[in-house]
Amino acid sequence: MINKAAREMSSPKKMISEKKMISEPKFALLLLLPTIVILLGLLLYPFLYSIYLAFVNLNLTKPWIGTKFVGLENFATVLKDNEFWLSMLTTFYFTVFNVAASMVIGLAAALLFNTKFRFRGLARSLLLIPWAMPGVVNAMLWQTMLHPNYGLVNGLLLKLGLISDPINWLSDPKLALASVITAQLWTSFPFVALMYLAALQSIPYDLIEAGKIDGAGTFRIFTHIIVKLLVPVTLVLLVLRTIDSFRTFDLIFAMTKGGPANATELAGVYLYKQGFMFSNFGVGSAGSYVLTAFILVFVILYMRILRQRDDH
Amino acid sequence: MSKGLNRILLYIGVIVVICFTVAPLLWAFVVSVSPATELSTLARQWLPRQMTFDNYVQVLSLSDNADTFKNSLLNSFIVAGSTTFLALIFGSFGAYAFARLRFRFKDRLSVIFLFTQMVPSIAIALPLYLIFKNIGLLDTKTSLTLANLSFTLPFIIWMMRAFFGSIPKELEEAAFIDGLGRFGALFRIILPISAPGLFAIGVFAYLNTWNEFNTALVLTGSDQSKTMPVVINEFLGRFSVDYGLMASSGIIGLLPPVLLALVFQRYLVDGMTSGAVKG
């Protein structure tokens, strides 16, 4: 509309030809300049600085000793540290279970909330609450839920007669990881649900109608039409959720500090401990490179899958 | 018959999801308003015989608590506000370049942007701490804003890029015909009509910054820069033996982001889905 009006009103003489205008690359550089400066200063420089840190022995508490170049010693310390590998394994379990559970429950919730029922709007709004929850508060909520004596979970299980003694969810190393995964699931499934809901709503109704006319049942429509249309958003969600789980820190830090007996110590918590509790900046930096490399492998894998899909 | 059954199953499913969603909130609230003497029987009764707001009064009335709390609210407000403001300005410029302009290294640059989102925040927090310590900016809102800006910008550009891509190109062409240059087209045509989309993404960024914990934990040290999540975490630790106090400080801490999310829910959902679903 604006376009048409503009064309009718303007005389051709007023138009600036593409050649007279600032060139596209120059304009792009100008527009991107602030971003590039900020990212160079606050991401790239720290990143390079941490390479330096990974190769020296920096002692913040005893600065008079001075910094000493130690070569690959910090990397060796990390790679030989059982606690580091244990934290990587814990991170892996945490990520796999969390991503799988949040995808399944998120999709189920989206399918439920996509049908018409009373108070549907309200139900959808409720989903936003866990999503907006700060990690530290999420930790508090689940600490009160899982407390052996005051917690609702034990209260319910006792009342239903499913258990006879209270369970120590957060102090039993076997149950603690499952507990923090549940807490993380609570805050992460709504995002999956809301994204799937948006995707479901963008499916043209005609397509489903056409399927019905062709004689497809509800089940067939779901498996043949809807699932196929949800593939793109599923891939995006997988990438986002994996990165998110890999980087989880605040929930664990506030809920268990990595305990009991390191059962919930994710890689981020291990690195924080090395850097800020034991002042091993070198070991922390070296370890964060190893962690970043792992994440990178995951992401490249996902991108491969995404690209393959685009080619089809 | 089968339709009625479907209906029942649907409602059961919805109720299960909603219970899972609200139970932790309601329970923390119940704990926070229960007298300490009733905590031990609460799990089997579900509701206290008496309600009390003593815990809230206690959390907020201890004078240094109240100051710390008020300051953190203000700090979070300032840090999240200025981060979002700057990120929206610089981010919309960058996103426009990615969505519309041809230039060298575009693909490589966009891969780098994506990569910045994958680096675990602790990997950046360690060197950032030392850098800000060396230039004397530790424990300031400025350093926290800058750090948050560097996390938020690539993310905002990624989301807005799809948004700008959905605006018809004819709009700019018309602007050029009207005699506007590239700057004019961007500032007088594209940005104004993008306002609702920018607002949606801004709300999203604001909430993200408000909840950011790891960097804030590392870079802040006193009331002049500690943000709300850092202070709430301290309260949780300080009151860890007193569940009523812990629950009430948590409830206070969840109010600002949750209210924000509920008030701006339409924008939030638009913001979060603009990058991935539409793009």
Side-chain angles (χ1 to χ4, degrees), chain A residues 10 22 24 28 46 115-116 125 128 131-132 144 147 150 159 186 195 247 250 276 296, chain B residues 7 10 20-21 27 44 102 115 117 119 127 177 182 204 211 213 218 243 265 276:
Chain A
S10 62
I22 178 171
E24 284 196 23
T115 54
K116 283 199 182 75
S125 306
L128 275 172
W131 174 76
T144 49
H147 190 277
Y150 317 147
K159 203 162 203 173
W186 180 75
M195 292 280 269
R247 306 186 343 157
D250 45 4
F276 293 101
L296 199 61
Chain B
R7 208 81 211 137
L10 169 72
F20 180 58
T21 308
W27 187 247
R44 261 154 289 164
R102 282 159 299 180
F115 176 68
Q117 296 299 292
V119 180
I177 290 170
R182 289 197 198 283
F204 197 73
N211 286 348
F213 176 70
V218 169
Y243 263 64
Q265 50 177 302

mmCIF file of all heavy atoms in Angstrom, chain A residues 10 22 24 28 46 115-116 125 128 131-132 144 147 150 159 186 195 247 250 276 296, chain B residues 7 10 20-21 27 44 102 115 117 119 127 177 182 204 211 213 218 243 265 276:
data_model
loop_
_atom_site.group_PDB
_atom_site.id
_atom_site.type_symbol
_atom_site.label_atom_id
_atom_site.label_comp_id
_atom_site.label_asym_id
_atom_site.label_seq_id
_atom_site.Cartn_x
_atom_site.Cartn_y
_atom_site.Cartn_z
ATOM 1 N N SER A 10 5.974 10.100 -5.973
ATOM 2 C CA SER A 10 7.324 10.607 -6.141
ATOM 3 C C SER A 10 7.680 10.719 -7.617
ATOM 4 O O SER A 10 7.360 9.859 -8.418
ATOM 5 C CB SER A 10 8.322 9.693 -5.449
ATOM 6 O OG SER A 10 8.262 8.429 -6.051
ATOM 7 N N ILE A 22 25.207 5.013 -0.036
ATOM 8 C CA ILE A 22 26.313 4.338 0.625
ATOM 9 C C ILE A 22 26.233 2.847 0.255
ATOM 10 O O ILE A 22 25.149 2.284 0.165
ATOM 11 C CB ILE A 22 26.231 4.563 2.157
ATOM 12 C CG1 ILE A 22 27.353 3.812 2.884
ATOM 13 C CG2 ILE A 22 24.886 4.148 2.718
ATOM 14 C CD1 ILE A 22 27.426 4.205 4.359
ATOM 15 N N GLU A 24 26.388 -1.218 0.191
ATOM 16 C CA GLU A 24 25.836 -2.168 1.170
ATOM 17 C C GLU A 24 26.872 -2.636 2.180
ATOM 18 O O GLU A 24 26.606 -2.622 3.379
ATOM 19 C CB GLU A 24 25.192 -3.356 0.443
ATOM 20 C CG GLU A 24 23.860 -2.991 -0.154
ATOM 21 C CD GLU A 24 23.020 -4.187 -0.549
ATOM 22 O OE1 GLU A 24 23.256 -5.279 0.015
ATOM 23 O OE2 GLU A 24 22.141 -4.036 -1.396
ATOM 24 N N ALA A 28 26.623 -1.978 6.117
ATOM 25 C CA ALA A 28 26.586 -3.138 7.021
ATOM 26 C C ALA A 28 27.658 -2.996 8.094
ATOM 27 O O ALA A 28 27.412 -3.245 9.276
ATOM 28 C CB ALA A 28 26.782 -4.431 6.238
ATOM 29 N N PRO A 46 38.213 -11.606 26.498
ATOM 30 C CA PRO A 46 38.217 -12.536 27.640
ATOM 31 C C PRO A 46 38.555 -13.967 27.224
ATOM 32 O O PRO A 46 39.261 -14.671 27.935
ATOM 33 C CB PRO A 46 36.785 -12.467 28.174
ATOM 34 C CG PRO A 46 36.275 -11.169 27.719
ATOM 35 C CD PRO A 46 36.956 -10.854 26.430
ATOM 36 N N THR A 115 -6.006 -28.023 21.978
ATOM 37 C CA THR A 115 -7.424 -28.342 21.803
ATOM 38 C C THR A 115 -8.242 -27.324 22.585
ATOM 39 O O THR A 115 -7.729 -26.622 23.445
ATOM 40 C CB THR A 115 -7.731 -29.753 22.328
ATOM 41 O OG1 THR A 115 -7.264 -29.823 23.672
ATOM 42 C CG2 THR A 115 -7.058 -30.812 21.499
ATOM 43 N N LYS A 116 -9.523 -27.280 22.251
ATOM 44 C CA LYS A 116 -10.366 -26.269 22.895
ATOM 45 C C LYS A 116 -10.908 -26.802 24.215
ATOM 46 O O LYS A 116 -11.431 -27.895 24.280
ATOM 47 C CB LYS A 116 -11.542 -25.927 21.976
ATOM 48 C CG LYS A 116 -11.150 -25.033 20.839
ATOM 49 C CD LYS A 116 -12.373 -24.353 20.255
ATOM 50 C CE LYS A 116 -11.984 -23.491 19.070
ATOM 51 N NZ LYS A 116 -11.698 -24.291 17.874
ATOM 52 N N SER A 125 -1.305 -19.193 30.195
ATOM 53 C CA SER A 125 -0.585 -18.161 30.947
ATOM 54 C C SER A 125 0.208 -18.795 32.082
ATOM 55 O O SER A 125 1.320 -18.359 32.391
ATOM 56 C CB SER A 125 -1.555 -17.143 31.541
ATOM 57 O OG SER A 125 -2.373 -16.632 30.546
ATOM 58 N N LEU A 128 3.773 -19.789 31.572
ATOM 59 C CA LEU A 128 4.840 -18.778 31.540
ATOM 60 C C LEU A 128 5.530 -18.621 32.891
ATOM 61 O O LEU A 128 6.670 -18.176 32.961
ATOM 62 C CB LEU A 128 4.270 -17.426 31.116
ATOM 63 C CG LEU A 128 4.150 -17.177 29.627
ATOM 64 C CD1 LEU A 128 3.402 -15.883 29.386
ATOM 65 C CD2 LEU A 128 5.521 -17.092 28.984
ATOM 66 N N TRP A 131 8.630 -20.789 33.413
ATOM 67 C CA TRP A 131 9.605 -20.361 32.422
ATOM 68 C C TRP A 131 10.315 -19.088 32.873
ATOM 69 O O TRP A 131 11.508 -18.918 32.646
ATOM 70 C CB TRP A 131 8.915 -20.159 31.076
ATOM 71 C CG TRP A 131 9.840 -19.575 30.049
ATOM 72 C CD1 TRP A 131 10.823 -20.221 29.368
ATOM 73 C CD2 TRP A 131 9.882 -18.222 29.623
ATOM 74 N NE1 TRP A 131 11.475 -19.354 28.546
ATOM 75 C CE2 TRP A 131 10.911 -18.124 28.685
ATOM 76 C CE3 TRP A 131 9.133 -17.086 29.949
ATOM 77 C CZ2 TRP A 131 11.219 -16.928 28.063
ATOM 78 C CZ3 TRP A 131 9.451 -15.892 29.330
ATOM 79 C CH2 TRP A 131 10.486 -15.826 28.393
ATOM 80 N N ALA A 132 9.568 -18.177 33.502
ATOM 81 C CA ALA A 132 10.149 -16.893 33.898
ATOM 82 C C ALA A 132 10.883 -16.985 35.235
ATOM 83 O O ALA A 132 11.423 -15.994 35.698
ATOM 84 C CB ALA A 132 9.045 -15.833 33.995
ATOM 85 N N THR A 144 11.753 -26.894 48.969
ATOM 86 C CA THR A 144 10.595 -27.038 49.860
ATOM 87 C C THR A 144 9.722 -28.220 49.437
ATOM 88 O O THR A 144 9.146 -28.893 50.273
ATOM 89 C CB THR A 144 9.733 -25.752 49.903
ATOM 90 O OG1 THR A 144 9.493 -25.339 48.573
ATOM 91 C CG2 THR A 144 10.400 -24.643 50.656
ATOM 92 N N HIS A 147 11.768 -31.516 50.647
ATOM 93 C CA HIS A 147 12.269 -31.657 52.008
ATOM 94 C C HIS A 147 11.723 -32.951 52.640
ATOM 95 O O HIS A 147 10.544 -33.254 52.514
ATOM 96 C CB HIS A 147 11.844 -30.445 52.840
ATOM 97 C CG HIS A 147 12.499 -30.390 54.181
ATOM 98 N ND1 HIS A 147 12.025 -31.102 55.264
ATOM 99 C CD2 HIS A 147 13.595 -29.731 54.614
ATOM 100 C CE1 HIS A 147 12.815 -30.869 56.303
ATOM 101 N NE2 HIS A 147 13.777 -30.038 55.929
ATOM 102 N N TYR A 150 9.135 -31.641 55.610
ATOM 103 C CA TYR A 150 8.157 -30.600 55.314
ATOM 104 C C TYR A 150 7.710 -30.623 53.849
ATOM 105 O O TYR A 150 6.916 -29.801 53.441
ATOM 106 C CB TYR A 150 8.720 -29.199 55.608
ATOM 107 C CG TYR A 150 9.492 -29.062 56.895
ATOM 108 C CD1 TYR A 150 10.560 -28.177 56.992
ATOM 109 C CD2 TYR A 150 9.116 -29.804 58.030
ATOM 110 C CE1 TYR A 150 11.257 -28.034 58.178
ATOM 111 C CE2 TYR A 150 9.824 -29.668 59.212
ATOM 112 C CZ TYR A 150 10.897 -28.787 59.285
ATOM 113 O OH TYR A 150 11.587 -28.635 60.436
ATOM 114 N N LYS A 159 0.947 -40.317 52.347
ATOM 115 C CA LYS A 159 -0.508 -40.345 52.453
ATOM 116 C C LYS A 159 -1.097 -41.447 51.571
ATOM 117 O O LYS A 159 -2.046 -42.136 51.951
ATOM 118 C CB LYS A 159 -1.073 -38.986 52.047
ATOM 119 C CG LYS A 159 -2.437 -38.729 52.631
ATOM 120 C CD LYS A 159 -2.752 -37.256 52.583
ATOM 121 C CE LYS A 159 -3.793 -36.925 53.622
ATOM 122 N NZ LYS A 159 -4.053 -35.518 53.785
ATOM 123 N N TRP A 186 10.924 -28.788 35.324
ATOM 124 C CA TRP A 186 9.784 -27.937 35.659
ATOM 125 C C TRP A 186 9.903 -26.565 35.005
ATOM 126 O O TRP A 186 8.929 -26.013 34.513
ATOM 127 C CB TRP A 186 9.689 -27.793 37.183
ATOM 128 C CG TRP A 186 8.558 -26.937 37.637
ATOM 129 C CD1 TRP A 186 7.234 -27.261 37.654
ATOM 130 C CD2 TRP A 186 8.641 -25.603 38.132
ATOM 131 N NE1 TRP A 186 6.500 -26.221 38.136
ATOM 132 C CE2 TRP A 186 7.331 -25.192 38.433
ATOM 133 C CE3 TRP A 186 9.701 -24.721 38.368
ATOM 134 C CZ2 TRP A 186 7.055 -23.933 38.959
ATOM 135 C CZ3 TRP A 186 9.408 -23.464 38.877
ATOM 136 C CH2 TRP A 186 8.096 -23.079 39.177
ATOM 137 N N MET A 195 6.641 -23.126 22.364
ATOM 138 C CA MET A 195 7.164 -23.127 20.991
ATOM 139 C C MET A 195 6.360 -24.092 20.124
ATOM 140 O O MET A 195 6.014 -23.779 18.982
ATOM 141 C CB MET A 195 8.635 -23.530 20.991
ATOM 142 C CG MET A 195 9.532 -22.519 21.629
ATOM 143 S SD MET A 195 9.910 -21.146 20.543
ATOM 144 C CE MET A 195 11.389 -21.748 19.790
ATOM 145 N N ARG A 247 24.762 -25.754 30.026
ATOM 146 C CA ARG A 247 25.283 -24.578 30.720
ATOM 147 C C ARG A 247 24.631 -24.344 32.073
ATOM 148 O O ARG A 247 24.917 -23.345 32.731
ATOM 149 C CB ARG A 247 25.073 -23.336 29.853
ATOM 150 C CG ARG A 247 25.662 -23.506 28.485
ATOM 151 C CD ARG A 247 25.633 -22.294 27.597
ATOM 152 N NE ARG A 247 24.737 -21.221 27.971
ATOM 153 C CZ ARG A 247 24.911 -19.984 27.583
ATOM 154 N NH1 ARG A 247 25.936 -19.682 26.837
ATOM 155 N NH2 ARG A 247 24.058 -19.063 27.928
ATOM 156 N N ASP A 250 22.969 -21.956 37.838
ATOM 157 C CA ASP A 250 22.339 -21.326 39.003
ATOM 158 C C ASP A 250 21.479 -22.286 39.829
ATOM 159 O O ASP A 250 21.522 -22.281 41.041
ATOM 160 C CB ASP A 250 21.553 -20.063 38.611
ATOM 161 C CG ASP A 250 20.689 -20.247 37.384
ATOM 162 O OD1 ASP A 250 20.624 -21.376 36.861
ATOM 163 O OD2 ASP A 250 20.083 -19.255 36.948
ATOM 164 N N PHE A 276 36.843 -19.953 41.603
ATOM 165 C CA PHE A 276 36.519 -18.959 42.618
ATOM 166 C C PHE A 276 36.564 -19.490 44.039
ATOM 167 O O PHE A 276 36.560 -18.723 44.981
ATOM 168 C CB PHE A 276 35.159 -18.335 42.309
ATOM 169 C CG PHE A 276 35.189 -17.521 41.056
ATOM 170 C CD1 PHE A 276 34.691 -18.029 39.863
ATOM 171 C CD2 PHE A 276 35.746 -16.254 41.052
ATOM 172 C CE1 PHE A 276 34.754 -17.281 38.703
ATOM 173 C CE2 PHE A 276 35.793 -15.505 39.900
ATOM 174 C CZ PHE A 276 35.306 -16.015 38.718
ATOM 175 N N LEU A 296 30.809 -27.654 21.412
ATOM 176 C CA LEU A 296 30.999 -27.375 19.993
ATOM 177 C C LEU A 296 30.742 -28.627 19.153
ATOM 178 O O LEU A 296 30.082 -28.566 18.109
ATOM 179 C CB LEU A 296 32.418 -26.876 19.772
ATOM 180 C CG LEU A 296 32.639 -26.118 18.467
ATOM 181 C CD1 LEU A 296 31.760 -24.887 18.459
ATOM 182 C CD2 LEU A 296 34.091 -25.732 18.316
ATOM 183 N N ARG B 7 -12.791 -36.465 25.872
ATOM 184 C CA ARG B 7 -12.941 -35.222 26.608
ATOM 185 C C ARG B 7 -12.396 -35.393 28.037
ATOM 186 O O ARG B 7 -11.655 -34.566 28.543
ATOM 187 C CB ARG B 7 -14.434 -34.916 26.631
ATOM 188 C CG ARG B 7 -14.855 -33.507 26.719
ATOM 189 C CD ARG B 7 -14.848 -32.749 25.414
ATOM 190 N NE ARG B 7 -14.544 -31.354 25.740
ATOM 191 C CZ ARG B 7 -13.706 -30.608 25.056
ATOM 192 N NH1 ARG B 7 -13.103 -31.081 24.011
ATOM 193 N NH2 ARG B 7 -13.482 -29.375 25.405
ATOM 194 N N LEU B 10 -8.695 -35.727 28.017
ATOM 195 C CA LEU B 10 -8.112 -34.411 27.764
ATOM 196 C C LEU B 10 -8.036 -33.603 29.053
ATOM 197 O O LEU B 10 -7.004 -33.051 29.394
ATOM 198 C CB LEU B 10 -8.954 -33.672 26.720
ATOM 199 C CG LEU B 10 -8.642 -32.189 26.535
ATOM 200 C CD1 LEU B 10 -7.315 -32.018 25.832
ATOM 201 C CD2 LEU B 10 -9.741 -31.492 25.752
ATOM 202 N N PHE B 20 1.383 -30.023 38.018
ATOM 203 C CA PHE B 20 2.850 -30.034 38.012
ATOM 204 C C PHE B 20 3.383 -28.601 37.946
ATOM 205 O O PHE B 20 4.373 -28.256 38.582
ATOM 206 C CB PHE B 20 3.349 -30.851 36.813
ATOM 207 C CG PHE B 20 4.851 -30.943 36.705
ATOM 208 C CD1 PHE B 20 5.618 -31.460 37.733
ATOM 209 C CD2 PHE B 20 5.509 -30.529 35.549
ATOM 210 C CE1 PHE B 20 7.004 -31.554 37.633
ATOM 211 C CE2 PHE B 20 6.891 -30.627 35.439
ATOM 212 C CZ PHE B 20 7.632 -31.132 36.484
ATOM 213 N N THR B 21 2.689 -27.762 37.169
ATOM 214 C CA THR B 21 3.148 -26.389 36.985
ATOM 215 C C THR B 21 2.974 -25.540 38.244
ATOM 216 O O THR B 21 3.862 -24.779 38.611
ATOM 217 C CB THR B 21 2.390 -25.724 35.815
ATOM 218 O OG1 THR B 21 2.498 -26.574 34.679
ATOM 219 C CG2 THR B 21 2.954 -24.368 35.484
ATOM 220 N N TRP B 27 2.936 -24.634 47.083
ATOM 221 C CA TRP B 27 3.537 -25.229 48.271
ATOM 222 C C TRP B 27 4.487 -24.251 48.965
ATOM 223 O O TRP B 27 4.447 -24.112 50.185
ATOM 224 C CB TRP B 27 4.258 -26.534 47.915
ATOM 225 C CG TRP B 27 4.726 -27.230 49.142
ATOM 226 C CD1 TRP B 27 6.006 -27.436 49.529
ATOM 227 C CD2 TRP B 27 3.894 -27.790 50.165
ATOM 228 N NE1 TRP B 27 6.037 -28.091 50.737
ATOM 229 C CE2 TRP B 27 4.746 -28.316 51.150
ATOM 230 C CE3 TRP B 27 2.510 -27.881 50.350
ATOM 231 C CZ2 TRP B 27 4.271 -28.936 52.299
ATOM 232 C CZ3 TRP B 27 2.028 -28.490 51.498
ATOM 233 C CH2 TRP B 27 2.898 -29.020 52.451
ATOM 234 N N ARG B 44 1.252 -33.397 55.775
ATOM 235 C CA ARG B 44 0.093 -34.306 55.737
ATOM 236 C C ARG B 44 -1.243 -33.554 55.782
ATOM 237 O O ARG B 44 -2.271 -34.096 55.497
ATOM 238 C CB ARG B 44 0.187 -35.311 56.891
ATOM 239 C CG ARG B 44 0.741 -36.657 56.411
ATOM 240 C CD ARG B 44 1.416 -37.415 57.519
ATOM 241 N NE ARG B 44 2.675 -36.770 57.878
ATOM 242 C CZ ARG B 44 3.338 -37.016 58.996
ATOM 243 N NH1 ARG B 44 2.852 -37.857 59.887
ATOM 244 N NH2 ARG B 44 4.481 -36.407 59.235
ATOM 245 N N ARG B 102 24.077 -7.229 1.678
ATOM 246 C CA ARG B 102 25.086 -8.206 1.258
ATOM 247 C C ARG B 102 26.453 -7.688 1.665
ATOM 248 O O ARG B 102 26.769 -6.527 1.417
ATOM 249 C CB ARG B 102 25.048 -8.396 -0.261
ATOM 250 C CG ARG B 102 23.910 -9.271 -0.746
ATOM 251 C CD ARG B 102 23.626 -8.995 -2.189
ATOM 252 N NE ARG B 102 23.235 -7.580 -2.345
ATOM 253 C CZ ARG B 102 22.922 -7.033 -3.513
ATOM 254 N NH1 ARG B 102 22.997 -7.723 -4.616
ATOM 255 N NH2 ARG B 102 22.560 -5.773 -3.578
ATOM 256 N N PHE B 115 28.025 -19.174 17.811
ATOM 257 C CA PHE B 115 28.980 -19.828 18.696
ATOM 258 C C PHE B 115 29.038 -19.136 20.064
ATOM 259 O O PHE B 115 29.135 -19.798 21.097
ATOM 260 C CB PHE B 115 30.373 -19.832 18.045
ATOM 261 C CG PHE B 115 31.449 -20.396 18.930
ATOM 262 C CD1 PHE B 115 31.451 -21.752 19.250
ATOM 263 C CD2 PHE B 115 32.432 -19.591 19.460
ATOM 264 C CE1 PHE B 115 32.423 -22.272 20.080
ATOM 265 C CE2 PHE B 115 33.410 -20.116 20.295
ATOM 266 C CZ PHE B 115 33.402 -21.454 20.610
ATOM 267 N N GLN B 117 26.798 -18.035 21.728
ATOM 268 C CA GLN B 117 25.697 -18.479 22.578
ATOM 269 C C GLN B 117 25.988 -19.820 23.233
ATOM 270 O O GLN B 117 25.265 -20.267 24.105
ATOM 271 C CB GLN B 117 24.402 -18.577 21.760
ATOM 272 C CG GLN B 117 23.922 -17.262 21.227
ATOM 273 C CD GLN B 117 23.609 -16.298 22.324
ATOM 274 O OE1 GLN B 117 22.664 -16.477 23.078
ATOM 275 N NE2 GLN B 117 24.431 -15.258 22.475
ATOM 276 N N VAL B 119 29.172 -20.828 24.354
ATOM 277 C CA VAL B 119 30.246 -20.821 25.339
ATOM 278 C C VAL B 119 29.618 -20.794 26.732
ATOM 279 O O VAL B 119 28.773 -19.959 27.014
ATOM 280 C CB VAL B 119 31.129 -19.574 25.152
ATOM 281 C CG1 VAL B 119 32.241 -19.562 26.173
ATOM 282 C CG2 VAL B 119 31.689 -19.544 23.750
ATOM 283 N N PRO B 127 37.794 -15.089 33.095
ATOM 284 C CA PRO B 127 38.626 -13.975 32.610
ATOM 285 C C PRO B 127 37.984 -12.612 32.820
ATOM 286 O O PRO B 127 38.687 -11.642 33.119
ATOM 287 C CB PRO B 127 38.797 -14.269 31.115
ATOM 288 C CG PRO B 127 37.750 -15.245 30.774
ATOM 289 C CD PRO B 127 37.441 -16.010 32.019
ATOM 290 N N ILE B 177 12.733 5.354 -3.511
ATOM 291 C CA ILE B 177 12.096 6.142 -4.561
ATOM 292 C C ILE B 177 11.719 7.514 -4.025
ATOM 293 O O ILE B 177 11.831 8.525 -4.698
ATOM 294 C CB ILE B 177 10.854 5.393 -5.102
ATOM 295 C CG1 ILE B 177 11.314 4.180 -5.884
ATOM 296 C CG2 ILE B 177 9.997 6.315 -5.954
ATOM 297 C CD1 ILE B 177 10.213 3.235 -6.260
ATOM 298 N N ARG B 182 19.820 5.022 2.631
ATOM 299 C CA ARG B 182 19.737 3.812 3.449
ATOM 300 C C ARG B 182 19.429 4.126 4.908
ATOM 301 O O ARG B 182 18.655 3.444 5.567
ATOM 302 C CB ARG B 182 21.045 3.034 3.364
ATOM 303 C CG ARG B 182 21.252 2.391 2.014
ATOM 304 C CD ARG B 182 22.310 1.327 2.086
ATOM 305 N NE ARG B 182 22.810 1.005 0.763
ATOM 306 C CZ ARG B 182 22.165 0.255 -0.117
ATOM 307 N NH1 ARG B 182 20.984 -0.252 0.191
ATOM 308 N NH2 ARG B 182 22.674 0.021 -1.301
ATOM 309 N N PHE B 204 11.670 -9.960 26.269
ATOM 310 C CA PHE B 204 12.356 -11.243 26.370
ATOM 311 C C PHE B 204 13.786 -11.041 26.903
ATOM 312 O O PHE B 204 14.221 -11.720 27.836
ATOM 313 C CB PHE B 204 12.397 -11.851 24.962
ATOM 314 C CG PHE B 204 12.700 -13.316 24.933
ATOM 315 C CD1 PHE B 204 11.747 -14.235 25.326
ATOM 316 C CD2 PHE B 204 13.933 -13.774 24.505
ATOM 317 C CE1 PHE B 204 12.016 -15.594 25.293
ATOM 318 C CE2 PHE B 204 14.208 -15.118 24.469
ATOM 319 C CZ PHE B 204 13.248 -16.032 24.863
ATOM 320 N N ASN B 211 17.140 -12.308 35.216
ATOM 321 C CA ASN B 211 17.373 -13.586 35.872
ATOM 322 C C ASN B 211 18.821 -14.061 35.826
ATOM 323 O O ASN B 211 19.142 -15.082 36.416
ATOM 324 C CB ASN B 211 16.497 -14.670 35.220
ATOM 325 C CG ASN B 211 15.043 -14.519 35.618
ATOM 326 O OD1 ASN B 211 14.720 -13.774 36.530
ATOM 327 N ND2 ASN B 211 14.163 -15.228 34.931
ATOM 328 N N PHE B 213 22.397 -15.004 36.576
ATOM 329 C CA PHE B 213 22.946 -15.236 37.912
ATOM 330 C C PHE B 213 24.464 -15.415 37.935
ATOM 331 O O PHE B 213 25.160 -14.807 38.739
ATOM 332 C CB PHE B 213 22.275 -16.460 38.530
ATOM 333 C CG PHE B 213 22.815 -16.852 39.863
ATOM 334 C CD1 PHE B 213 22.579 -16.068 40.976
ATOM 335 C CD2 PHE B 213 23.561 -18.013 40.017
ATOM 336 C CE1 PHE B 213 23.077 -16.417 42.221
ATOM 337 C CE2 PHE B 213 24.069 -18.366 41.258
ATOM 338 C CZ PHE B 213 23.824 -17.567 42.359
ATOM 339 N N VAL B 218 29.702 -13.559 40.099
ATOM 340 C CA VAL B 218 31.156 -13.404 40.015
ATOM 341 C C VAL B 218 31.573 -11.929 40.071
ATOM 342 O O VAL B 218 32.553 -11.570 40.712
ATOM 343 C CB VAL B 218 31.663 -14.063 38.708
ATOM 344 C CG1 VAL B 218 33.101 -13.687 38.450
ATOM 345 C CG2 VAL B 218 31.518 -15.573 38.789
ATOM 346 N N TYR B 243 12.796 -22.774 57.214
ATOM 347 C CA TYR B 243 12.108 -22.940 55.943
ATOM 348 C C TYR B 243 11.091 -21.872 55.643
ATOM 349 O O TYR B 243 10.891 -21.511 54.490
ATOM 350 C CB TYR B 243 11.494 -24.341 55.850
ATOM 351 C CG TYR B 243 12.409 -25.235 55.085
ATOM 352 C CD1 TYR B 243 13.671 -25.525 55.582
ATOM 353 C CD2 TYR B 243 12.062 -25.691 53.817
ATOM 354 C CE1 TYR B 243 14.554 -26.280 54.857
ATOM 355 C CE2 TYR B 243 12.947 -26.447 53.085
ATOM 356 C CZ TYR B 243 14.193 -26.733 53.610
ATOM 357 O OH TYR B 243 15.070 -27.454 52.884
ATOM 358 N N GLN B 265 2.689 -11.120 28.600
ATOM 359 C CA GLN B 265 2.748 -12.481 28.061
ATOM 360 C C GLN B 265 2.624 -12.552 26.550
ATOM 361 O O GLN B 265 3.342 -13.314 25.902
ATOM 362 C CB GLN B 265 1.720 -13.386 28.726
ATOM 363 C CG GLN B 265 0.318 -12.847 28.769
ATOM 364 C CD GLN B 265 -0.573 -13.907 29.381
ATOM 365 O OE1 GLN B 265 -0.654 -15.019 28.893
ATOM 366 N NE2 GLN B 265 -1.232 -13.569 30.478
ATOM 367 N N ALA B 276 12.466 -18.720 16.024
ATOM 368 C CA ALA B 276 12.525 -20.136 15.681
ATOM 369 C C ALA B 276 11.363 -20.634 14.844
ATOM 370 O O ALA B 276 11.551 -21.385 13.892
ATOM 371 C CB ALA B 276 12.613 -20.961 16.952
#
